[in-house]
Amino acid sequence: MPPSNQKALVLHEIGTPLRLETNRPVPSPDQDQVLVKVHVAGLNPHDQKSRDLGLFVQNLLPAVLSNDVVGVVVEAGSSVSDFKLGDRIVGQANWVKESPQSGLQEYAVLDAEHASHIPDSVSNDEAATLPTNTLAPVVALFEPSKLGFVAPWAAEGDYNRDTILVIGGASACGKFATQFTKLAGIGRIVVLGGDEAELKGFGATKVLSRFGEAEEVRARIQAAVGDDLRFVLDCVNAPEQQHIGINALSLTSGGKLARLRRTGTIQTELVREGAKYELVDIFGSSFEYPDLCKPFWKALPEYLVARKIRPLASRVIDGLDSEAVNKALDDYRDGRKVLKANVHVS
């Protein structure tokens, strides 16, 4: 039986540190939800923007952060059939008032259809690297209104002759994007930035250095893709640098650039004359695209067991340590190169 109250790290005011509370109510699951005892809460760059800028939580204060939640089921709603007490699961938390789903608390509720069983071969820390950083490329690649490839858990697509450019191969999103493009059967997967051996192990056919003058990088990409490129997924750049991907697209046919970052302005003076492109904004939320993402959560355990999707490395913060968690968010704010931080809540 879960307790009535719990510890949590809470954001009370935008731009202030998270603070430890010891008497926050434990939420109760609705009929299609489960209550989990949280073992790991994964941090991501957007959590820093939530704390400092109010991203996603401006109207939800006081708020608990972390959308990557790993835990053990301690209570299940009346309509839940896929999970039972004691199951180890991973899911994405939604942004809702009072933050019942967020990870930086001892107990959280998760929507059963937006969560997965964790195979025995996958650790809690590995599972916590999955939700946010898989869902962004899942939406970018497989949502019909985005890049529009057929989701491999729905049907087999014929993409052996297609080429895609993934920008930001060193990022967690870029690493998972590379794996999903391989899973989709895309024939030529060109990745800009990141470790060549690691990315080729994930399925990249060509890994390019991101360093050098803009024209050098453009020529490097052009040599790899020619005039055939119709699909770009930019996992890292702000709009001010998105001309890199735009200029890689075919001048003959044009194409789409899917982007995670949209705040800012494209430097149109740096875009090639005659460029034909469509910008596609990506929001990696399971709840925004349920028809796509619910089947993904069901398919995920099989992909993990088969190592068709491989979790990433992380570092550990022990306990709901407000100083350590705020420091991890500061690292994101200050642009330090760090591994994803997983908070061991219990």
Side-chain angles (χ1 to χ4, degrees), residues 7 55 178 203 208 257 269 280 295-296 315 328:
K7 295 179 182 178
L55 180 68
T178 303
L208 305 175
L257 183 140
E269 70 277 10
V280 180
F296 162 69
R315 60 193 177 97

Side-chain angles (χ1 to χ4, degrees), residues 173-224:
C173 177
K175 292 174 183 178
F176 279 121
T178 303
Q179 296 184 60
F180 280 110
T181 55
K182 173 67 173 178
L183 192 62
I186 298 173
R188 186 162 49 159
I189 303 164
V190 180
V191 183
L192 183 66
D195 181 84
E196 182 173 13
E198 180 182 35
L199 290 164
K200 285 191 171 181
F202 289 150
T205 54
K206 186 78 172 177
V207 179
L208 305 175
S209 172
R210 66 180 179 85
F211 297 106
E213 297 295 326
E215 181 55 29
E216 293 176 330
V217 175
R218 190 202 68 78
R220 200 176 294 145
I221 297 171
Q222 198 73 46

Side-chain angles (χ1 to χ4, degrees), residues 299-310:
L300 180 58
E302 181 179 339
Y303 290 139
L304 292 169
V305 170
R307 294 187 58 77
K308 292 182 177 179
I309 295 299
R310 286 182 271 167

Side-chain angles (χ1 to χ4, degrees), residues 7-10 17-21 43 51 104-105 316-329 342-346:
K7 295 179 182 178
L9 293 181
V10 182
L18 306 184
R19 302 204 312 258
L20 179 66
E21 291 187 1
L43 300 180
R51 184 194 66 175
L104 289 175
Q105 54 191 342
V316 171
I317 295 173
D318 284 319
L320 291 170
D321 182 334
S322 59
E323 182 177 356
V325 171
N326 281 302
K327 172 62 168 58
L329 298 181
N342 282 341
V343 181
H344 283 198
V345 177
S346 61

Side-chain angles (χ1 to χ4, degrees), residues 61-80:
L61 299 179
V64 178
L65 306 185
S66 174
N67 299 90
D68 297 349
V69 183
V70 171
V72 171
V73 175
V74 295
E75 187 177 340
S78 59
S79 298
V80 175

Side-chain angles (χ1 to χ4, degrees), residues 101-116:
Q101 300 196 5
S102 300
L104 289 175
Q105 54 191 342
E106 292 177 306
Y107 292 87
V109 295
L110 292 175
D111 286 17
E113 291 186 307
H114 298 276
S116 286

